[in-house]
Amino acid sequence: MIAQDQRFMALALSLGRRGLGHVWPNPAVGCVITQGTRIVGRGWTAAGGRPHAETLALAQAGKAANGATAYVTLEPCAHTGQTPPCADALIAAGIARVVTALTDPDPRVSGQSISRLRAAGVEVVEGVCATEATYDHAGFLSRITNGRPLLTLKLATTLDGRIATASGDSKWITGSEARRAVHAMRLSHDALLTGGGTARADDPTLTVRDMGPVANPVRVVASAGLDLAPDSRLEQTMDQAPLWLLHEETAETIDWSKKGARLFPIALNADGHLEPTAMLQSLGTAGVTRVLCEGGGALAASLLKAGLVDRIALFTAGKMIGADGLPSLGNLGLSALTDAPEFSLLNTRQVGADTLSLWSNT
């Protein structure tokens, strides 16, 4: 039974990942319903956060849900929001056994569904594939427990850690396959974050391209003075994706507000820059669970110094620029190696002519 539970939970996790970047502020849950070894229902959280995975899987299973086992990657909800509690739906459908990966830390749920299911005579098995589920649900868990989204820092550098030549030429450090991989990565995040300097220098759109018709993540620009070009591509593409602006509290906001941007006043830190923790917490309050940062070296350094970088996606190209090139990170102000931010390697793979290494701070 242990091997079977792990197999079906692994399938439920793979289904849940389809919702990453599209279901916030809800978690991207997967659900599989089985009769013995036969799958009778599957579901994952729909775009926008509902219907929930359990609702979709139960609808597919129909009468076959009676006496079945439901594999759910996160404890089913116990509260009534825009939809009734999933725990009650599982009980009403006659589910005999529920296998979960994680307890939901949301205080509206946190163990209440497990108790309700057991009180109704449903067998509950907890903690199956918990490590994998913790990784997948890290953004949701961070927002609930830390008040901020998971932050992944994307870097694309040469072998010697440079992102541009001394003259500023940076197109392209990595190849087309790596750039396509970045667009796929954008799809699994709720928001993309960049700094005002990068927005002015590169004039990006920060949309997903060459991936078919998709829903773009929110574009977030941290610009203390809101001194962005009025005819930028970010402004020109506001009909394609939302634009959120993090700015200093006294910045002039009227023009951007009229254009439809959402504005977030942020306090300045002692260095006169937008306070990084406040930036992330404001996004968490707005419901964002997963952020991909594609900013420049200064923004990356500020996030690292504040201990806000949870993961790093490092694309490395087989090129060398030298000491006069622009480094991938700004000044961290370290005096001792023991003070350096430390990350553990998760995996490495080849992407075209480049490599992608994924790192985590846990």
Side-chain angles (χ1 to χ4, degrees):
M1 183 63 74
I2 293 176
Q4 180 171 303
D5 285 349
Q6 290 176 335
R7 179 164 65 92
F8 286 126
M9 186 60 76
L11 174 58
L13 286 165
S14 70
L15 293 173
R17 291 181 199 118
R18 299 183 183 187
L20 290 175
H22 308 290
V23 304
W24 60 280
N26 288 357
V29 176
C31 179
V32 173
I33 298 175
T34 66
Q35 282 282 6
T37 59
R38 183 169 63 94
I39 296 173
V40 295
R42 304 186 313 159
W44 58 92
T45 309
R50 56 188 61 84
H52 291 181
E54 299 95 323
T55 300
L56 293 171
L58 287 170
Q60 189 178 91
K63 293 181 179 179
N66 187 47
T69 295
Y71 295 87
V72 191
T73 63
L74 187 70
E75 178 184 3
C77 64
H79 60 289
T80 299
Q82 295 188 29
T83 57
C86 288
D88 292 351
L90 292 167
I91 293 169
I95 291 290
R97 183 169 179 262
V98 173
V99 181
T100 67
L102 295 176
T103 299
D104 189 337
D106 188 325
R108 297 172 300 175
V109 183
S110 194
Q112 296 179 52
S113 286
I114 301 302
S115 298
R116 190 178 301 182
L117 289 165
R118 285 177 172 151
V122 179
E123 178 189 354
V124 179
V125 178
E126 301 178 69
V128 176
C129 299
T131 299
E132 296 88 341
T134 299
Y135 184 87
D136 287 355
H137 290 300
F140 173 76
L141 298 175
S142 178
R143 179 177 175 270
I144 295 298
T145 60
N146 302 322
R148 68 167 182 87
L150 174 87
L151 187 132
T152 298
L153 175 62
K154 190 274 292 183
L155 298 172
T157 77
T158 58
L159 290 172
D160 53 346
R162 305 290 158 168
I163 59 173
T165 64
S167 65
D169 184 16
S170 62
K171 294 182 184 288
W172 294 101
I173 293 290
T174 54
S176 58
E177 294 91 342
R179 296 196 295 276
R180 184 174 175 82
V182 170
H183 283 271
M185 197 175 292
R186 289 177 176 181
L187 274 177
S188 66
H189 288 79
D190 311 339
L192 306 180
L193 172 64
T194 194
T198 299
R200 288 187 293 271
D202 296 348
D203 192 21
T205 61
L206 295 180
T207 54
V208 178
R209 298 183 295 280
D210 301 324
M211 304 295 290
V214 297
N216 283 298
V218 173
R219 288 97 52 85
V220 182
V221 180
S223 175
L226 288 179
D227 49 345
L228 305 175
D231 58 348
S232 68
R233 292 199 287 176
L234 286 170
E235 179 186 345
Q236 294 170 8
T237 55
M238 286 181 64
D239 60 333
Q240 300 178 28
L243 178 63
W244 294 3
L245 300 175
L246 310 178
H247 59 87
E248 197 268 324
E249 293 167 323
T250 61
E252 179 55 60
T253 62
I254 295 177
D255 286 347
W256 283 105
S257 180
K258 289 180 178 178
K259 294 170 184 174
R262 184 172 177 180
L263 298 159
F264 294 79
I266 306 293
L268 299 180
N269 60 18
D271 297 327
H273 302 299
L274 297 179
E275 209 290 311
T277 300
M279 290 197 306
L280 269 292
Q281 288 179 337
S282 70
L283 297 180
T285 300
V288 173
T289 67
R290 293 166 59 88
V291 174
L292 180 64
C293 178
E294 298 189 42
L299 178 59
S302 70
L303 294 168
L304 282 165
K305 285 194 290 186
L308 297 171
V309 177
D310 301 294
R311 297 174 186 169
I312 295 176
L314 174 61
F315 291 87
T316 306
K319 299 181 176 75
M320 306 282 271
I321 289 180
D324 59 338
L326 185 66
S328 60
L329 292 179
N331 189 356
L332 291 178
L334 301 176
S335 58
L337 186 58
T338 53
D339 296 330
E342 201 164 338
F343 294 81
S344 300
L345 181 64
L346 297 176
N347 59 70
T348 301
R349 64 184 176 93
Q350 185 169 346
V351 183
D354 309 308
T355 61
L356 168 59
S357 54
L358 297 177
W359 301 78
S360 172
N361 68 352
T362 57

